[in-house]
């Protein structure tokens, strides 16, 4: 039972099964998946790609 946990890339909270989250590939390297919870989307919190160091949002 190794269900993958979804962790918000900005606040590091677990957002598995949370509503209103956004998941998308890093716009720069497309290697890692960025996950943002509804709260971080609302406040436009920054995220950083752990593969290439790209920081968003944009
Ligand atoms: Zn968050
Ligand atoms: Zn990246």
């Amino acid at each position: 039972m190794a269900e993958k946990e979804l962790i918000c890339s900005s606040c590091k909270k677990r957002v598995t099964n949370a509503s209103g989250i956004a998941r998308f590939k890093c716009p720069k390297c497309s290697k890692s998946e960025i996950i943002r919870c509804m709260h971080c989307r609302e406040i436009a919190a920054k995220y950083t790609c752990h593969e290439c160091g790209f920081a968003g949002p944009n």
Side-chain angles (χ1 to χ4, degrees):
M1 296 284 277
E3 182 119 349
K4 197 182 169 196
E5 297 247 58
L6 303 182
I7 309 284
C8 173
S9 300
S10 295
C11 65
K12 312 298 185 195
K13 280 187 193 161
R14 290 191 305 157
V15 293
T16 312
N17 299 326
S19 62
I21 63 169
R23 299 173 64 182
F24 52 94
K25 297 277 198 220
C26 169
K28 189 174 176 187
C29 69
S30 301
K31 283 182 193 166
S32 73
E33 186 172 49
I34 310 289
I35 299 169
R36 305 187 77 207
C37 69
M38 189 158 55
H39 175 69
C40 289
R41 289 171 61 203
E42 277 178 7
I43 65 171
K46 274 199 165 189
Y47 60 83
T48 304
C49 170
H50 59 81
E51 289 285 343
C52 69
F54 177 83
N58 64 14

